């Protein structure tokens, strides 16, 4: 158990780095606390849950994804659930999605282990099944170590739809801008994962505290897909910001011309805001 003061100071540190602790910091913490990385992840779960914004359920969920990245300790990516008070429940981001999206957005090579404050719901088990190493993914809960395969036997996954790609194992697509788009947005779209709809898309949110980019992550079961706007909002949440407390200046949604399917989701979220936000919708073509 870490003291409340220590948890609070780690929360501030992780918030400042937008939801991650990289190998050198993880190593330093493990050594100073006399813990291995898995024990550290369990000890840090209350910090992950502090990022949650659950105005509907009031149920705080935290998750931490580990990419060992050939290091002795590895990089930690935090995640928490994110709910929208006046919008459809289907817009909610689950903590496991948030942590995996955070790892994905930050260029992690893979997720070897995910620690979660509570057992993952069926939706999240399906979301995690899209990872390229789903057969080897370890799941650590406060009182139990298990695997995704144990939690999700007889699974339905990418191969069942004839898709040989998976999250963390997909080639970036080449995109051609038709109109002006930022490099960060174009890059986020090119590395989005959209093997089912072909709508390689991304969102950039411009706020008074900097910009946040999110990439689309699809799923073989379709429903647990994470929209690019959810992805970007979740990254904002991990910087300690929310759409209620931080003023959004502009949202830019980038989609593939002829494959668009994200505009209604973006409008729904904007409708829940009490202030005007400019929504910029740009299209690109696959090369
Ligand atoms: Zn879930």
């Amino acid at each position: 158990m870490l003291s409340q003061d220590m948890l609070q100071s780690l929360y501030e540190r992780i918030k400042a780095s937008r939801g991650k602790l990289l190998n050198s910091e993880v190593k330093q913490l493990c050594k100073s606390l006399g813990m291995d990385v898995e024990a550290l992840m369990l000890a840090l779960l209350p910090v992950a849950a502090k990022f949650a914004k659950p105005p509907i359920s009031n149920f705080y969920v935290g998750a931490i994804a580990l990419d060992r990245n050939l290091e002795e300790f590895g990089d930690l990516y935090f995640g928490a659930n994110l709910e929208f008070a006046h919008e459809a429940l289907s817009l909610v981001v689950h903590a496991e999605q948030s942590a995996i999206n955070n790892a994905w957005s930050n260029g992690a090579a893979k997720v070897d282990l995910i620690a979660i404050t509570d057992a993952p719901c069926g939706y999240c088990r399906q979301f995690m099944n899209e990872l390229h190493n789903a057969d080897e993914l370890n799941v650590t809960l406060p009182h139990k170590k298990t695997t995704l395969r144990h939690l999700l036997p007889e699974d339905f996954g990418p191969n069942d739809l004839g898709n040989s790609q998976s999250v963390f194992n997909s080639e970036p697509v080449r995109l051609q801008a038709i109109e002006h788009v930022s490099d960060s947005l174009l890059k986020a779209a090119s590395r989005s994962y959209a093997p089912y709809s072909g709508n390689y898309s991304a969102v950039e949110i411009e706020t008074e505290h900097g910009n946040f980019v999110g990439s689309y992550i699809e799923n073989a079961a379709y429903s647990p897909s994470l929209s690019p706007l959810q992805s970007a909002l979740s990254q904002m949440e991990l910087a300690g910001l929310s759409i209620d407390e931080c003023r959004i200046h502009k949202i830019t949604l980038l989609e593939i011309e002829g494959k668009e399917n994200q505009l209604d989701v973006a409008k729904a979220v904007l409708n829940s805001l009490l202030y005007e936000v400019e929504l910029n919708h740009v299209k690109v073509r696959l090369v």
Side-chain angles (χ1 to χ4, degrees):
M1 283 284 282
L2 304 182
S3 71
Q4 284 303 317
D5 283 353
M6 182 145 193
L7 290 174
Q8 183 62 32
S9 101
L10 283 165
Y11 170 73
E12 297 297 337
R13 190 159 141 191
I14 293 159
K15 185 167 77 170
S17 69
R18 294 188 170 192
K20 57 187 183 292
L21 278 179
L22 298 183
N23 184 63
S24 57
E25 291 177 284
V26 173
K27 179 178 179 179
Q28 177 210 337
L29 278 168
C30 284
K31 294 209 159 158
S32 66
L33 294 167
M35 292 176 175
D36 65 21
V37 72
E38 193 172 359
L40 178 70
M41 291 166 76
L42 284 172
L44 291 177
L45 281 175
V47 178
K50 272 173 83 74
F51 287 97
K53 299 204 171 63
I56 303 166
S57 66
N58 207 28
F59 189 76
Y60 287 71
V61 188
I64 306 173
L66 168 70
D67 173 13
R68 287 198 191 274
N69 197 21
L70 303 178
E71 301 281 358
E72 185 184 353
F73 295 90
D75 302 326
L76 297 183
Y77 298 95
F78 289 69
N81 54 327
L82 173 61
E83 300 173 353
F84 305 96
H86 304 292
E87 287 304 327
L89 294 183
S90 56
L91 287 179
V92 162
V93 180
H94 296 225
E96 298 88 326
Q97 289 181 301
S98 171
I100 289 166
N101 175 61
N102 188 17
W104 170 255
S105 298
N106 279 290
K110 62 190 180 318
V111 171
D112 301 284
L113 166 68
I114 186 163
I116 322 165
T117 49
D118 299 274
C121 73
Y123 183 90
C124 288
R125 295 176 197 202
Q126 183 65 45
F127 184 81
M128 293 190 281
N129 201 42
E130 201 77 16
L131 301 186
H132 79 287
N133 61 341
D135 284 338
E136 289 90 42
L137 182 66
N138 292 299
V139 178
T140 294
L141 305 173
H143 303 293
K144 185 174 185 144
K145 291 182 186 184
T146 183
T147 63
L148 179 62
R149 217 24 91 227
H150 178 76
L151 294 167
L152 190 70
E154 305 297 329
D155 65 306
F156 179 85
N159 289 337
D160 294 301
L161 290 181
N163 170 27
S164 59
Q165 297 190 61
S166 45
V167 180
F168 294 104
N169 187 26
S170 62
E171 287 294 319
V173 292
R174 289 182 59 209
L175 301 172
Q176 180 185 32
I178 304 170
E179 49 203 309
H180 175 74
V181 293
S182 70
D183 288 346
S184 52
L185 189 57
L186 201 60
K187 188 176 168 201
S190 84
R191 62 186 306 278
S192 67
Y193 175 76
Y196 306 111
S197 73
N199 186 25
Y200 298 91
S201 50
V203 159
E204 186 161 34
I205 301 175
E206 297 176 32
T207 81
E208 57 192 343
H209 298 289
N211 292 5
F212 296 86
V213 173
S215 305
Y216 190 24
I217 304 179
E218 289 190 337
N219 189 275
Y222 292 4
S223 293
S225 299
L226 189 71
S227 78
L229 182 61
Q230 287 174 302
S231 166
L233 288 169
S234 179
Q235 291 304 106
M236 264 180 78
E237 176 193 30
L238 296 169
L241 305 171
S242 76
I243 53 174
D244 299 324
E245 298 149 10
C246 162
R247 200 165 184 89
I248 294 173
H249 297 313
K250 181 174 158 188
I251 292 181
T252 303
L253 166 64
L254 183 156
E255 299 191 271
I256 300 291
E257 190 179 51
K259 301 276 188 184
E260 304 90 335
N261 58 16
Q262 294 295 323
L263 190 58
D264 289 342
V265 177
K267 285 181 176 170
V269 171
L270 295 188
N271 284 341
S272 71
L273 299 178
L274 297 173
Y275 54 89
E276 283 284 310
V277 172
E278 180 187 346
L279 175 61
N280 189 20
H281 191 200
V282 295
K283 319 266 177 71
V284 293
R285 290 193 190 114
L286 275 172
V287 176

